[in-house]
Coordinates of all heavy atoms in Angstrom, one line a residue:
M6 N -7.5 -14.3 -14.7 CA -7.1 -12.9 -14.9 C -7.0 -12.1 -13.8 O -6.3 -11.1 -13.6 CB -8.0 -12.3 -16.1 CG -7.5 -11.0 -16.5 SD -6.0 -11.2 -17.4 CE -5.8 -9.4 -17.8
L29 N 11.1 11.5 -2.6 CA 10.9 12.6 -1.4 C 12.2 12.8 -0.5 O 12.3 13.7 0.2 CB 9.8 12.2 -0.6 CG 8.4 12.4 -1.3 CD1 7.2 11.8 -0.4 CD2 8.2 13.8 -1.5
Q44 N 23.3 11.3 -16.2 CA 23.3 11.5 -17.6 C 22.1 12.2 -18.2 O 22.1 12.6 -19.3 CB 23.6 10.3 -18.5 CG 25.0 9.8 -18.4 CD 25.3 8.8 -17.2 OE1 24.3 8.2 -16.7 NE2 26.4 8.8 -16.7
H96 N 11.7 7.1 -20.7 CA 12.6 6.1 -20.9 C 12.6 5.9 -22.4 O 13.8 5.5 -22.9 CB 12.1 4.7 -20.2 CG 12.6 4.6 -18.8 ND1 13.7 4.5 -18.3 CD2 11.7 4.7 -17.8 CE1 13.8 4.5 -17.0 NE2 12.4 4.5 -16.6
I101 N 16.7 5.3 -23.0 CA 16.4 4.2 -23.8 C 17.0 2.9 -23.3 O 16.3 1.7 -23.5 CB 16.7 4.4 -25.4 CG1 15.8 3.3 -26.2 CG2 18.0 4.5 -25.6 CD1 14.4 3.6 -26.1
K130 N -19.3 6.7 -20.5 CA -20.5 6.4 -21.3 C -21.2 7.7 -21.7 O -21.2 8.8 -20.8 CB -21.5 5.8 -20.4 CG -22.8 5.2 -21.1 CD -23.5 4.3 -20.1 CE -25.0 4.7 -20.1 NZ -25.8 3.9 -19.2

Side-chain angles (χ1 to χ4, degrees):
M6 187 64 184
L29 286 173
Q44 286 85 31
H96 285 290
I101 193 70
K130 187 171 132 180

